[in-house]
Amino acid sequence: MSTIGGTAATNLGGPNYGQLTIRLKPRNERKRGVAQIIADLRPKLADIPGINVYLQNPPTINLSGQITKSQYQFSMQSANKTELYENAVKMQKLIAELPQLEDVTSNLAITAPEVDVSIDRDKAAAMQTDANAVESAFYDAYGQHWVSTIYAAVNEYKVLLELQRQYQADPRALSLLYFKSNTGTLIPLDTLAKVKTGIGPQSINHYEQLNAVTVSFNLKPGASLGDVVSQIQKIAASALPSTISTSFEGAAEAFESSLGNLWLLLIVAILVVYIVLGILYESYIHPVTILSGLPSAGFGALITLLLFHMDLNIYAFVGLIMLIGIVEKNAIMQIDFALDAERNQGMAPMQAIYQGCLIRFRPIMMTTMAALLGAVPIALGYGAGGEARQPLGLVVVGGLMFSQLVTLYLTPVFYTYMAALQERMGRKKRRRAAEPVHIPV
């Protein structure tokens, strides 16, 4: 589907912009991903003379922001339009120099010819007319003013007042316009105003009631959005005056606002799990043993993202939080059996955890493989919008595979050391309780 002009084109920079929306076949019906298709199309479309083409893969979830030619947006606002436009052009050049970016563009296009009419209000008042009369005459000439209606036998026709097309396209025709004063005298435009031609923006954009310019950009394969955001912030702090305010919009704004919150959410999730396990096992030590497999799961997830050249985005963070619940159930199965064997059967910690690993090995493998295989289609990018959720599947699959290989050996070792530490602490506590107490008489 293609569109030319309209509201979307106004946000893009003016009426000479259009959009072409392409819907790809399902992932299982094509061999290449969205990134590969864009990489193949970009050099071919760059050879078409007369147009500039910008390609972007829209996110699965719309995170607001403006309609731009690239995916990520950096907006500048100021009350001074001239200062804003000068610095926006300079800022766009500096951002385009970053090696991690491509398709850097903005919605500021100072290429439209314009005519500036400056009315001498004192002279107009002396001739018994005003600026409103001049503006009304301009509207009649160039605004298609509906002045009357012709009623026929079976139909009616609206009468529109305007200049002929050849005069509308020629700025010199302004000198032929006359305005009627309050006394009925016709006054030429040249006696009331000065006409100056120049070049101006094709559209004037606003954000929060201020003049605004938005610079949009795409990331090159392997580039990190977090590094790019920090670099653009440093450039803006050094290159822009204090009268120009800046902000990220859309996906870049969501990433900037959630960057710290996601790490906090991950820490809070681990603390909540520790508290719940501590209450259930009535111990401060065994919850640490159960959570000992999380570092290996996180390491496997990050290594998988690195091997597949994926970013640690919001979807990947969701996968890391999911791993907290999936991975710890392996240790819960082992330790729950070992604690029961110690308390009810009198086994030593080494023998108890060994028996727990043997007996619980089958359910551990069954549950892990069920979760792992269930995440494989997401890791392969199948389904509508599956390529956006692919990092989530890769995190789950990679984290489970690596942690499964490690925790079967790591958890028993950690358990025996924690049991020895708990026994040593218990002996010290009993020894202090058995010491005689001397009461002076």
Side-chain angles (χ1 to χ4, degrees):
M1 181 182 68
S2 62
T3 58
I4 299 176
T7 305
T10 301
N11 294 331
L12 291 172
N16 60 336
Y17 287 87
Q19 282 185 307
L20 181 64
T21 303
I22 302 173
R23 184 180 179 87
L24 299 179
K25 294 181 179 179
R27 186 64 179 88
N28 56 348
E29 298 181 14
R30 50 186 167 88
K31 298 180 180 179
R32 293 178 296 176
V34 178
Q36 293 175 310
I37 295 174
I38 290 178
D40 292 341
L41 286 176
R42 181 172 281 112
K44 298 177 182 178
L45 297 175
D47 295 336
I48 301 177
I51 63 171
N52 294 324
V53 181
Y54 304 91
L55 301 170
Q56 63 170 299
N57 179 23
T60 306
I61 302 174
N62 186 11
L63 299 174
S64 69
Q66 302 183 29
I67 301 175
T68 54
K69 298 183 283 292
S70 302
Q71 183 173 357
Y72 303 102
Q73 306 163 18
F74 176 74
S75 179
M76 294 164 280
Q77 306 91 32
S78 176
N80 190 333
K81 184 172 64 175
T82 303
E83 182 185 41
L84 174 65
Y85 289 170
E86 292 177 354
N87 286 276
V89 174
K90 180 176 66 174
M91 191 67 186
Q92 180 182 351
K93 294 180 180 178
L94 294 175
I95 294 176
E97 294 176 357
L98 296 178
Q100 305 98 319
L101 302 183
E102 59 187 0
D103 295 338
V104 179
T105 181
S106 74
N107 59 357
L108 176 63
I110 308 179
T111 57
E114 64 178 14
V115 178
D116 185 13
V117 180
S118 300
I119 301 174
D120 190 339
R121 297 179 181 269
D122 294 334
K123 187 179 293 186
M127 295 182 179
Q128 297 187 7
T129 185
D130 53 15
N132 291 331
V134 177
E135 293 174 359
S136 298
F138 277 137
Y139 182 71
D140 292 338
Y142 297 97
Q144 293 186 346
H145 188 195
W146 178 21
V147 295
S148 180
T149 303
I150 299 176
Y151 297 95
V154 294
N155 206 345
E156 61 182 37
Y157 304 92
K158 295 181 179 180
V159 179
L160 302 178
L161 179 63
E162 64 177 355
L163 289 178
Q164 294 184 1
R165 297 297 180 182
Q166 63 267 27
Y167 296 113
Q168 289 185 357
D170 189 358
R172 293 174 297 180
L174 290 173
S175 60
L176 303 178
L177 291 179
Y178 284 75
F179 307 96
K180 184 177 290 188
S181 66
N182 296 333
T183 60
T185 306
L186 293 178
I187 304 172
L189 177 65
D190 293 343
T191 61
L192 295 177
K194 295 181 180 180
V195 179
K196 182 175 64 175
T197 60
I199 297 177
Q202 293 186 352
S203 64
I204 299 177
N205 297 279
H206 293 84
Y207 182 75
E208 296 181 350
Q209 300 182 351
L210 293 175
N211 299 307
V213 176
T214 300
V215 177
S216 56
F217 55 90
N218 288 329
L219 298 179
K220 289 184 178 180
S224 172
L225 180 59
D227 294 339
V228 170
V229 167
S230 61
Q231 291 184 37
I232 292 178
Q233 288 175 337
K234 292 179 181 178
I235 294 174
S238 60
L240 295 179
S242 59
T243 55
I244 297 179
S245 59
T246 62
S247 63
F248 287 94
E249 298 182 31
E253 179 187 14
F255 177 84
E256 184 186 23
S257 61
S258 63
L259 185 61
N261 296 335
L262 287 175
W263 286 108
L264 179 62
L265 178 62
L266 187 64
I267 295 173
V268 169
I270 295 174
L271 289 177
V272 170
V273 171
Y274 175 83
I275 293 172
V276 172
L277 292 175
I279 295 173
L280 293 177
Y281 287 103
E282 298 179 353
S283 172
Y284 296 103
I285 294 179
H286 291 304
V288 178
T289 307
I290 295 174
L291 295 174
S292 63
L294 293 182
S296 61
F299 179 78
L302 296 178
I303 288 295
T304 304
L305 289 176
L306 184 63
L307 292 177
F308 285 86
H309 305 287
M310 293 285 181
D311 295 332
L312 183 61
N313 54 19
I314 296 177
Y315 288 103
F317 253 103
V318 172
L320 287 176
I321 296 174
M322 289 174 58
L323 281 178
I324 297 176
I326 298 175
V327 171
E328 70 182 19
K329 56 89 185 171
N330 294 347
I332 290 176
M333 289 183 180
Q334 296 171 327
I335 294 172
D336 190 67
F337 181 90
L339 289 177
D340 182 75
E342 281 189 57
R343 294 168 181 173
N344 299 327
Q345 302 179 25
M347 291 186 182
M350 181 76 73
Q351 184 182 5
I353 193 63
Y354 178 74
Q355 292 296 325
C357 292
L358 292 179
I359 296 175
R360 295 295 175 88
F361 177 76
R362 185 169 178 237
I364 287 174
M365 293 300 298
M366 290 173 60
T367 54
T368 301
M369 293 304 297
L372 191 150
L373 295 176
V376 166
I378 303 177
L380 296 178
Y382 288 117
E387 291 180 68
R389 297 188 297 269
Q390 193 173 7
L392 187 151
L394 290 173
V395 164
V396 174
V397 172
L400 284 178
M401 289 183 64
F402 189 81
S403 65
Q404 185 67 27
L405 297 175
V406 174
T407 53
L408 289 176
Y409 302 97
L410 179 63
T411 302
V413 174
F414 207 88
Y415 178 83
T416 55
Y417 278 105
M418 290 293 103
L421 177 62
Q422 190 175 25
E423 178 64 24
R424 191 179 304 113
M425 293 173 61
R427 286 199 302 266
K428 290 182 179 179
K429 185 176 181 180
R430 290 191 297 269
R431 189 181 304 116
R432 285 197 299 268
E435 290 179 354
V437 178
H438 300 282
I439 302 176
V441 179

